[in-house]
Amino acid sequence: MNKDSNSQDNKLRLQVFLAHSGLASRRACEKIILDGRVTVNGQVVTELGSKVSDSDIVKVDGKQLSLEKKKCYVLLNKPAGYVCSSSDEKGRAVAVDLLKDAYKERLYNVGRLDMYSKGMILFTNDGDFAAKLSHPSSQVEKEYIVETSQDIPEDFPKKFEHGIRVDNVFYKCLKCQILKARKLDIVLIEGKNREIRTVLESQNIGTKSLVRVRIGSVKLNNLKPGEYRELTEREVKSLLGEKL
């Protein structure tokens, strides 16, 4: 095999390079490319099939990126009041900033919690991990403890498990259990934007507190709001559905 073909083999698709540099998930990186925000050796590149190597100078919004050498997988107990985004145009507090003093790597959130929700959120710089975990086929369970402003009707859990349509959107949980008159345990697989709050509001039930306590086999346990820890290798494999 000649030198040129070796060089070609070592190249990565641009969106993969961006994801492995810790910029964002691969899908988000594809949009960044299509939006014309990426340059390679000074030229704007908008084609998703483009390939780059370590010797190429890749920049996003004028800032140069390089491949991350260490892959990070971090679990944060997100307090209320933080948004799940790399930055916020409204100047609100960003959850990833709670990790910036501990990690020099560029981390981004896998999935989201809305600003007022609390609990487990995962951060990584591994684009493959983020893509696999975010894909609907992963079927990863997410468990929430919800406190409400009104008493919960006895028939609500069965309704939500069978499916509730709100404004032409169908919402369906995997499991729903009443723990107390105003406290629920809900397990989702798909998890649409603000799903639990929307469904409760459709039944005239207000959400007082919403905490995500489990993602797959990984539990929040005693981690306090604002605290974080790295996932174990076993936990990462478990989330990806790999053999332990």
Side-chain angles (χ1 to χ4, degrees), residues 122-220:
L122 300 179
F123 289 85
T124 191
N125 60 349
D126 183 344
D128 291 334
F129 174 79
K132 288 176 184 175
L133 202 60
S134 301
H135 198 275
S137 64
S138 68
Q139 296 287 290
V140 176
E141 293 184 4
K142 299 175 182 69
E143 184 175 0
Y144 303 81
I145 300 298
V146 185
E147 294 184 16
T148 63
S149 305
Q150 289 82 25
D151 288 356
I152 303 152
E154 286 184 12
D155 64 344
F156 175 76
K158 286 299 179 189
K159 274 187 179 180
F160 199 0
E161 288 174 0
H162 288 136
I164 295 173
R165 189 171 294 279
V166 184
D167 295 331
N168 291 322
V169 179
F170 189 68
Y171 299 96
K172 186 177 184 292
C173 72
L174 180 65
K175 296 176 187 173
C176 183
Q177 179 184 1
I178 296 175
L179 302 177
K180 293 181 180 178
R182 298 189 177 189
K183 193 172 187 179
L184 286 165
D185 185 319
I186 297 173
V187 179
L188 302 178
I189 287 184
E190 186 179 352
K192 299 181 176 73
N193 184 39
R194 292 176 56 84
E195 175 162 349
I196 293 173
R197 293 180 188 275
T198 300
V199 169
L200 287 171
E201 284 170 13
S202 75
Q203 307 299 305
N204 298 311
I205 304 169
T207 303
K208 191 175 178 182
S209 170
L210 190 154
V211 184
R212 183 153 64 197
V213 296
R214 178 174 65 88
I215 299 176
S217 62
V218 183
K219 297 181 180 180
L220 187 61

